[in-house]
Amino acid sequence: IGWEWGHCGWRTCGVQADVVQLLCKLREGLGLFVPAEAQLYIDAATRGIDELVSIAHSAGLLSASEVSWLSSREYLDKA
C-alpha cells in the first residue's frame, strides 16, 4: 500500500483501485484479521478516500468548507 497512489498516469485510477481492493479484503476477511491488521486496512482505505475527496476539491467539485475536515484527520504512523 503506497501513498503515491496508483499505477496509471492518473492518480484517481490508482486510488480508486486501492480503496476498492482494501474494502474487499476487509469484507472477505472480517472476523479473520487480528485487530492491528484490520486497523491497517481501515487506515489505508481512509487515506485513499480522503485522497479522492482532495482530488475532487482540486478539480473544483467540492468547496473548501466541504473538505475542511480533512485537515483534522489522524492516520496511523507509517513508520
Side-chain angles (χ1 to χ4, degrees):
I1 300 166
W3 281 276
E4 278 302 317
W5 296 97
H7 303 291
C8 68
W10 301 99
R11 278 177 35 192
T12 55
C13 299
V15 176
Q16 290 169 352
D18 287 349
V19 170
V20 169
Q21 182 179 9
L22 289 164
L23 294 175
C24 286
K25 280 183 174 277
L26 277 170
R27 276 191 213 105
E28 290 172 3
L30 203 57
L32 300 176
F33 297 123
V34 295
E37 188 177 10
Q39 188 177 12
L40 175 67
Y41 286 135
I42 291 167
D43 182 71
T46 301
R47 287 174 189 261
I49 291 168
D50 290 354
E51 180 73 12
L52 287 172
V53 171
S54 178
I55 291 168
H57 172 64
S58 296
L61 301 173
L62 298 171
S63 69
S65 64
E66 291 175 302
V67 297
S68 61
W69 53 270
L70 280 175
S71 62
S72 65
R73 284 282 209 192
E74 292 186 20
Y75 304 112
L76 294 175
D77 187 10
K78 290 193 252 180

